[in-house]
Amino acid sequence: MLPGSAFLVQELVDKAADERLPKDIQWHFIGHLQSNKCKFLAEIPGLSMVETVSSVKLADQLNAACTKCGRAAPLDVMVQINTSHEENKHGVTAAEAAEVAAHISTHCHALRVRGLMTIGAAERELKQGEQNPDFVALRACRASVAARLGVDEHTLELSMGMSADFEHAVGATLSLSSLLSLSLS
């Protein structure tokens, strides 16, 4: 995968078919996914994760596509949460996230909930040391999703931010134990 890259489905189909690239690349799809494109995405060799599952309908379509193409292992997915409540962004609300994750876990056997994803507000101005509220909301959402799924919350990954706010995203995911581990290494 190319870190930080967002794709349209056709772009990823083309990149994955590029003979110059190693065959063992594990691709992550990050971008808006329309349900009519699930078939093409599911057939990509090396596709290991879709980070933008934004509805039960989309999860069902992706599950059907993965089942139909006979994927050997479940496809890892992240539920996309619109933590900034912006109308121009996709994703479920924080209140809907646990229900969507539970639906995937219960009804979508070709998918595996790996975590949660948010982009956050692009124009958010933060003061020195201030945490991005979109990222704080995603962490809180992870706790409720984990409780609903009956798993330890740290088994659910978080994907958040864009290039311009990656420092805030990294800061929001670090716990005290993570900071101690970093300082000791």
Side-chain angles (χ1 to χ4, degrees):
M1 183 188 128
L2 303 172
S5 295
F7 295 107
L8 297 174
V9 172
Q10 189 58 51
E11 286 177 291
L12 187 53
V13 167
D14 293 345
K15 282 189 184 293
D18 189 333
E19 294 293 325
R20 299 169 296 173
L21 295 176
K23 295 298 176 206
D24 61 348
I25 291 177
Q26 296 296 300
W27 297 99
H28 286 212
F29 179 80
I30 306 170
H32 176 58
L33 177 58
Q34 297 171 317
S35 56
N36 65 341
K37 302 291 185 188
C38 289
K39 173 190 179 297
F40 303 107
L41 194 62
E43 293 173 347
I44 294 174
L47 179 68
S48 66
M49 185 179 293
V50 174
E51 293 197 22
T52 50
V53 175
S54 57
S55 70
V56 166
K57 176 186 173 191
L58 185 60
D60 288 341
Q61 290 287 331
L62 187 57
N63 182 64
C66 288
T67 300
K68 188 172 183 178
C69 76
R71 291 182 62 88
L75 176 64
D76 288 337
V77 298
M78 291 190 158
V79 177
Q80 183 176 4
I81 318 294
N82 184 350
T83 56
S84 61
H85 310 288
E86 294 173 280
E87 290 184 23
N88 64 333
K89 292 207 173 126
H90 299 279
V92 299
T93 65
E96 298 167 324
E99 200 59 43
V100 173
H103 175 85
I104 294 168
S105 292
T106 304
H107 300 291
C108 300
H109 302 291
L111 306 179
R112 178 176 53 191
V113 177
R114 189 61 182 256
L116 307 174
M117 180 272 216
T118 193
I119 296 172
E123 301 300 320
R124 193 173 300 283
E125 293 289 326
L126 298 173
K127 296 180 180 132
Q128 179 82 21
E130 183 180 6
Q131 289 191 349
N132 185 316
D134 298 323
F135 303 158
V136 171
L138 190 67
R139 281 183 52 198
C141 190
R142 174 173 66 176
S144 67
V145 169
R148 176 67 195 272
L149 297 179
V151 300
D152 181 289
E153 73 178 85
H154 295 97
T155 63
L156 296 174
E157 295 179 17
L158 297 178
S159 175
M160 57 180 109
M162 301 289 277
S163 300
D165 58 4
F166 80 93
E167 290 172 338
H168 291 284
V170 169
T173 61
L174 293 177
S175 63
L176 180 56
S177 60
S178 300
L179 291 172
L180 289 174
S181 295
L182 287 174
S183 65
L184 296 174
S185 44

